[in-house]
Amino acid sequence: MSENLVIVESPAKAKTIEKFLGKDYLVISSFGHIRDLQKRDMSVDFQHGYQPQYVISEGKEKIVAELRKHSKTAKTVWLASDEDREGEAIAWHLQEALKLDPEKTKRIVFHEITKDAILNAIQHPRGVDINLVNAQQARRVLDRLVGYELSPVLWKKIKASLSAGRVQSVAVRLIVDREREILVFTTESFFKVAGTFFADKAPIKADASQKFSNEKAALELLEKCVDATFTVESVEKKPAKRTPTAPFTTSTLQQEASRKLGFSVSQTMAVAQRLYEAGYITYMRTDSVNLSEQALASAKSAILEMYGEKYLHTRRYTTKSKGAQEAHEAIRPSYMNNQTISADAQERRLYELIWKRAIASQMSEAVLERTIVTIGISGATEKFVANGEVMLFDGFLKVYMESQDDENDADSAGLLPPMQAGQILQANSIVATERFTQRPPRYTEATLVKKLEELGIGRPSTYAPTISTVIARGYVLKEDREGQVRPYKQHTLTNGKITEKVLSEITGAERAKLFPSDIGMVVTDYLVEHFPRVMDFSFTAKVEEEFDEIADGKIIWNKMIDDFYQIFHEKVEDALQNSQRATAERRLGVDPKTGKEVIVRIGRFGPLAQLGESEGEQKPQYANLQKGQLIETITLEEALKLFELPRTLGDYEEKPVTVAIGRFGPYVRHDEKFTSLKRNVDNPMTITLERAVELIEEKRKMEREKVIKTFAENEELQVLNGRFGPYITCAGINYKLPKNIDPSALTYEECVEIMSQQEGSTPRKSRFAKKAAAKKPAAAKATTTKASAAKKATTAKTATTKAATKKKNA
């Protein structure tokens, strides 16, 4: 029996803390929340102030039983979950579910998992902060009310299986609004004129001081330059400084990890969580840029040791973030003198980024000298301007430079040779290049987080799950898209002659950008029309501020819920009764071959094109829209091409090969078997017979290699190759293989041993199988379930008995 029981929410965190505490402390993980609202109903008591109805989370019964057993024998129970509202709620749920005695229960919090921080927390315990708990409860209840009342409206008015969320729907709206800005944007061309000159054989690049709205104006300047003299009119030198940015908050870490490391928002948070739990960094969910006095002293020591006194400049940043939560620290290394760590590649790269940002924030400014040279053109009022920059002292740039979101940032200014006013320059070439106005950029995960933070929507703990949710639900697509070839003109003046050529470039290519799906656009339009308050950015931000006020104890949480719900529920009832069904239907025109009308709309399984109407026994033809096509923008010609499928490519093995688009995407059909086309690689409209055969053979090879091993002792037991690697299957139940095991070398006895140590999992059923099961009478379902369970139990028992007998005989 341990005198002290410490409960944390993750095994990794428990393992790290255990190293700092003595034998009198037992550290156990709750594996996250142990209680939550039931999944199948609202679980909110409207008659008693919207009180949430909590139950032990599925699969957590054994953990709760173990925690309860240890808590009864411990003299003191320390609740050491994370320091934010979610962590406070976990501590409260543990206290309630385990029925902990308040006299022997203590709450401890810490910003970092170091020995000093843990021991200091033990010395300064407190009780559970019910205001923070209520703020988390208010968010949970409000999100449940919105989700569970809006979703049925969407099922009835748009399509089954849709869902809505208070923050997620607003995030989708941002992406939809941006896409519509792009769709209506008209690109206009203009001309930029740039020259290369020589000053005593040293090259200088300079740009015309203005842009030209048309080709004629740009050519007129080139004509003026044919016989012109180019004179330095002025040389202006200005001192300049660059100041480091503040240490990371959650959102700035997500943005910078995306730009510098290519991490997704959820990936950044997962890696940061591991770093925190291993004791490498401070808590990673924070909107504070503050550093503790201890951290400042540690950074000072590290900078003096590594770079010297001239690089040191201590700064105390203050948090200006709208609605910033509790007084957390910024994200920083736990030990500032550790420039790197021994960890996997992702963890090491993110740690080094955090270290550089934190250390740079306490370093000297970079000192620069900027030079602006104005070059006059004889006989013309236009000027050329050259910009140069010299680094006099690198300061914090020795360690770190922040990246930018702007995709069209110009190259930084270079070094200019010495020049003086009145100096004549020699023109080498002057080039007028056609350029184009840039449409608004689509959001990346990082820039969406930045926008949400600017609007005050969501908090550090919600950014990553919000984005993951809208992508998982199919409202938003995260993908790459190919650009298009665009021609542009270029006029070049060299040796007194002007030449013209037409060049080309790729425009509109996108990488890891967020696009709204058709269903995302339809749902957004419907919600904006019928629930404008829920979809309003300012209102959503105001709700976040009210959560902050609940956390501060300024307002009562269920009063805030009631104020929202009374108005919201009326809107729900009104929409169910009076709103029209939304299909986003567009009539594109008539097919010239058949005379039938072509329509695009939302169908049962998503956006589709329809050729003709139902007339007696004659049914319309349907075709799914392809990647990149939207109901709002698809043309009649593009829609008609969809009906060219299925397309016969030729024969293989004396059997036809066809390509078509099905419910789950484009596929090749051959010998009554189906092979999916590769996403972002194959196009059903252009795929060749040779490529189709390649895909067919590739699938055959995978199927041949699927079975790694079978056993005569039990035909149902197999070792197979799966999507995520080798696994064991027996009687319809799958079992994971431990790491560093050669699946082809497994014996029957070893497989049985592995199976006996796991519960196993059943393969996921298709939606059709689930529907068929749901339609069975209750008695039939019960009989089937019992028979299946009995069969599995018998199979497993037989397998184990055979193995034991064989082992004994051997």
Side-chain angles (χ1 to χ4, degrees):
M1 181 191 95
S2 293
E3 287 193 6
N4 297 278
L5 173 65
V6 181
I7 307 176
V8 298
E9 64 272 76
S10 84
K13 187 175 173 181
K15 190 176 178 182
T16 306
I17 291 175
E18 210 166 31
K19 294 185 294 187
F20 304 134
L21 299 173
K23 57 180 174 52
D24 292 334
Y25 289 84
L26 174 64
V27 187
I28 298 181
S29 168
S30 69
F31 292 84
H33 277 280
I34 60 165
R35 297 199 309 179
D36 198 1
L37 302 175
Q38 286 190 37
K39 290 184 179 179
R40 292 187 180 86
D41 58 40
M42 185 75 79
S43 293
V44 175
D45 187 348
F46 292 91
Q47 304 303 315
H48 298 88
Y50 303 93
Q51 287 298 324
Q53 306 297 297
Y54 294 115
V55 294
I56 301 297
S57 301
E58 193 174 338
K60 291 293 182 77
E61 294 83 2
K62 288 182 180 178
I63 294 166
V64 171
E66 185 188 2
L67 291 171
R68 199 170 275 152
K69 181 183 75 174
H70 288 295
S71 67
K72 285 179 180 177
T73 57
K75 288 185 178 179
T76 306
V77 179
W78 305 84
L79 302 177
S81 49
D82 290 339
E83 60 175 342
D84 59 5
R85 295 171 193 172
E86 207 68 32
E88 204 70 24
I90 289 174
W92 179 76
H93 281 297
L94 285 166
Q95 186 170 281
E96 294 291 307
L98 304 181
K99 296 181 170 56
L100 299 178
D101 180 357
E103 293 297 318
K104 70 170 193 176
T105 305
K106 297 179 179 180
R107 171 81 169 113
I108 55 172
V109 294
F110 33 84
H111 299 303
E112 57 191 343
I113 305 177
T114 61
K115 186 172 183 178
D116 287 346
I118 300 302
L119 295 179
N120 184 61
I122 294 285
Q123 294 297 316
H124 301 91
R126 61 169 173 81
V128 171
D129 188 333
I130 199 63
N131 290 330
L132 298 183
V133 174
N134 286 339
Q136 189 273 347
Q137 284 197 127
R139 180 186 295 277
R140 190 75 184 91
V141 169
L142 191 61
D143 289 348
R144 174 59 64 99
L145 293 173
V146 172
Y148 271 54
E149 295 221 351
L150 275 188
S151 297
V153 178
L154 300 181
W155 302 341
K156 184 176 179 181
K157 300 299 180 179
I158 302 176
K159 178 177 167 289
S161 302
L162 294 178
S163 60
R166 184 182 57 82
V167 176
Q168 294 96 315
S169 297
V170 173
V172 175
R173 182 184 178 182
L174 282 170
I175 295 163
V176 169
D177 287 352
R178 177 57 55 86
E179 192 67 21
R180 290 201 168 119
E181 286 177 44
I182 292 167
L183 292 176
V184 301
F185 183 81
T186 303
T187 299
E188 296 178 355
S189 71
F190 61 93
F191 280 79
K192 285 181 71 175
V193 178
T196 304
F197 305 90
F198 285 102
D200 298 329
K201 297 184 179 179
I204 303 156
K205 290 184 178 179
D207 294 325
S209 55
Q210 66 189 83
K211 295 173 183 176
F212 300 91
S213 59
N214 55 65
E215 185 178 11
K216 181 184 175 185
L219 278 170
E220 285 176 358
L221 177 59
L222 262 61
E223 292 285 355
K224 292 176 186 177
C225 292
V226 171
D227 297 314
T229 301
F230 300 93
T231 308
V232 175
E233 291 188 350
S234 65
V235 178
E236 186 180 1
K237 293 188 177 182
K238 291 181 178 179
K241 290 182 179 180
R242 284 194 197 171
T243 305
T245 43
F248 283 128
T249 62
T250 300
S251 67
T252 55
L253 177 63
Q254 290 168 340
Q255 292 164 48
E256 192 73 340
S258 173
R259 293 184 293 233
K260 272 190 160 62
L261 308 179
F263 285 7
S264 69
V265 167
S266 57
Q267 182 184 8
T268 297
M269 294 312 293
V271 177
Q273 179 98 27
R274 296 199 298 269
L275 289 173
Y276 166 68
E277 290 175 347
Y280 291 128
I281 65 170
T282 53
Y283 193 55
M284 65 286 158
R285 293 187 183 92
T286 176
D287 36 24
S288 172
V289 292
N290 175 55
L291 291 178
S292 67
E293 291 301 319
Q294 181 185 350
L296 292 174
S298 180
K300 177 180 178 179
S301 175
I303 293 165
L304 289 173
E305 182 182 339
M306 294 180 190
Y307 306 108
E309 192 168 352
K310 66 178 181 178
Y311 281 92
L312 176 66
H313 184 145
T314 300
R315 293 180 184 81
R316 287 173 174 80
Y317 293 93
T318 54
T319 302
K320 297 175 183 176
S321 173
K322 187 177 181 180
Q325 282 193 36
E326 298 75 47
H328 300 164
E329 262 196 273
I331 303 169
R332 61 163 176 84
S334 300
Y335 305 97
M336 292 285 205
N337 56 332
N338 289 348
Q339 198 166 350
T340 189
I341 56 171
S342 296
D344 68 35
Q346 286 188 348
E347 290 170 6
R348 188 172 63 254
R349 291 174 71 204
L350 190 65
Y351 175 86
E352 288 172 359
L353 184 66
I354 292 167
W355 182 87
K356 288 175 181 178
R357 177 85 164 221
I359 285 290
S361 75
Q362 300 305 306
M363 292 178 71
S364 302
E365 298 165 327
V367 181
L368 314 166
E369 183 181 74
R370 291 195 177 124
T371 305
I372 303 169
V373 178
T374 304
I375 303 166
I377 308 165
S378 62
T381 57
E382 293 88 353
K383 313 285 183 188
F384 281 97
V385 178
N387 289 283
E389 191 172 85
V390 178
M391 180 92 62
L392 302 179
F393 174 63
D394 55 3
F396 76 94
L397 294 176
K398 193 176 190 75
V399 173
Y400 175 81
M401 181 183 288
E402 187 178 28
S403 301
Q404 300 296 320
D405 287 319
D406 191 348
E407 298 170 1
N408 305 302
D409 271 351
D411 293 335
S412 57
L415 190 64
L416 292 175
M419 285 176 280
Q420 56 189 3
Q423 185 175 349
I424 304 298
L425 304 179
Q426 301 301 314
N428 179 48
S429 65
I430 298 174
V431 181
T433 306
E434 186 179 16
R435 294 289 81 209
F436 302 88
T437 51
Q438 299 290 322
R439 55 166 174 69
R442 289 186 173 91
Y443 287 109
T444 62
E445 287 193 8
T447 55
L448 181 59
V449 166
K450 186 177 181 180
K451 186 66 176 178
L452 289 170
E453 187 180 40
E454 285 173 1
L455 293 171
I457 296 169
R459 289 296 180 259
S461 61
T462 65
Y463 298 138
T466 294
I467 293 172
S468 298
T469 299
V470 298
I471 292 172
R473 288 178 178 171
Y475 295 148
V476 172
L477 309 171
K478 180 185 176 182
E479 57 190 25
D480 303 342
R481 292 197 182 169
E482 294 179 1
Q484 297 175 324
V485 176
R486 176 173 64 189
Y488 66 95
K489 292 180 180 179
Q490 191 174 77
H491 301 276
T492 305
L493 168 61
T494 51
N495 300 321
K497 292 184 179 179
I498 299 174
T499 57
E500 178 188 341
K501 57 184 174 182
V502 177
L503 304 171
S504 63
E505 61 187 354
I506 300 295
T507 182
E510 304 281 23
R511 182 177 176 275
K513 293 294 182 66
L514 301 178
F515 300 81
S517 65
D518 269 310
I519 199 68
M521 296 178 90
V522 173
V523 168
T524 297
D525 289 345
Y526 181 85
L527 292 176
V528 168
E529 181 181 353
H530 298 286
F531 299 92
R533 191 162 172 249
V534 172
M535 296 296 283
D536 181 72
F537 301 132
S538 299
F539 176 75
T540 308
K542 181 175 176 289
V543 169
E544 294 292 345
E545 290 172 4
E546 289 178 334
F547 290 150
D548 296 336
E549 290 178 345
I550 293 168
D552 292 336
K554 293 178 180 176
I555 61 175
I556 299 169
W557 76 270
N558 38 15
K559 170 71 166 61
M560 172 258 184
I561 297 290
D562 190 59
D563 290 344
F564 169 87
Y565 184 73
Q566 294 302 325
I567 300 170
F568 170 71
H569 185 66
E570 286 180 15
K571 289 283 186 183
V572 170
E573 293 296 325
D574 182 63
L576 283 168
Q577 296 297 321
N578 303 316
S579 69
Q580 297 296 311
R581 185 172 176 80
T583 63
E585 182 175 294
R586 275 183 71 219
R587 295 180 177 267
L588 303 182
V590 175
D591 175 17
K593 291 182 181 177
T594 63
K596 295 179 179 177
E597 190 162 23
V598 180
I599 303 165
V600 284
R601 62 181 178 84
I602 294 292
R604 186 180 171 193
F605 302 117
L608 57 81
Q610 176 181 323
L611 180 60
E613 305 270 10
S614 293
E615 297 174 5
E617 293 184 5
Q618 191 174 10
K619 301 294 181 185
Q621 284 180 262
Y622 300 102
N624 292 327
L625 268 59
Q626 289 188 296
K627 176 184 172 182
Q629 293 180 328
L630 288 172
I631 288 175
E632 283 194 20
T633 57
I634 190 170
T635 64
L636 176 62
E637 293 72 23
E638 289 168 339
L640 288 172
K641 280 186 179 180
L642 299 174
F643 294 102
E644 294 174 7
L645 299 173
R647 192 163 63 90
T648 301
L649 305 179
D651 287 350
Y652 177 57
E653 297 174 343
E654 300 181 349
K655 291 176 181 173
V657 178
T658 58
V659 62
I661 299 178
R663 197 179 139 213
F664 301 109
Y667 64 88
V668 168
R669 182 174 183 172
H670 173 256
D671 194 20
E672 300 305 315
K673 293 180 180 175
F674 303 87
T675 304
S676 295
L677 270 59
K678 301 283 186 189
R679 191 178 177 187
N680 297 332
V681 176
D682 301 310
N683 186 327
M685 307 304 295
T686 58
I687 190 171
T688 62
L689 176 62
E690 291 74 21
R691 173 59 179 159
V693 169
E694 189 181 318
L695 292 171
I696 291 165
E697 290 300 332
E698 191 179 295
K699 185 177 180 182
R700 286 176 177 178
K701 184 184 176 189
M702 283 177 63
E703 288 177 346
R704 285 195 301 270
E705 295 173 353
K706 182 178 180 180
V707 179
I708 298 173
K709 202 162 187 180
T710 58
F711 302 93
E713 295 93 333
N714 184 350
E715 291 180 1
E716 286 192 288
L717 197 154
Q718 294 177 305
V719 183
L720 303 178
N721 249 325
R723 242 177 105 192
F724 305 107
Y727 65 97
I728 296 171
T729 186
C730 181
I733 300 178
N734 299 337
Y735 303 85
K736 293 178 182 177
L737 284 182
K739 290 180 180 178
N740 305 320
I741 280 186
D742 179 3
S744 62
L746 280 169
T747 64
Y748 178 72
E749 290 78 7
E750 287 170 337
C751 288
V752 172
E753 178 66 22
I754 291 168
M755 289 161 55
S756 68
Q757 295 172 0
Q758 298 181 33
E759 289 186 7
S761 61
T762 53
R764 291 178 67 182
K765 290 182 182 178
S766 71
R767 288 169 70 182
F768 299 110
K770 287 177 182 175
K771 282 186 179 179
K775 287 179 181 177
K776 284 184 182 179
K781 278 197 272 189
T783 304
T784 305
T785 305
K786 286 180 181 178
S788 175
K791 182 183 175 185
K792 287 173 184 174
T794 303
T795 305
K797 189 174 180 181
T798 304
T800 308
T801 305
K802 281 184 179 179
T805 305
K806 190 171 181 180
K807 192 172 181 182
K808 186 177 179 182
N809 292 340

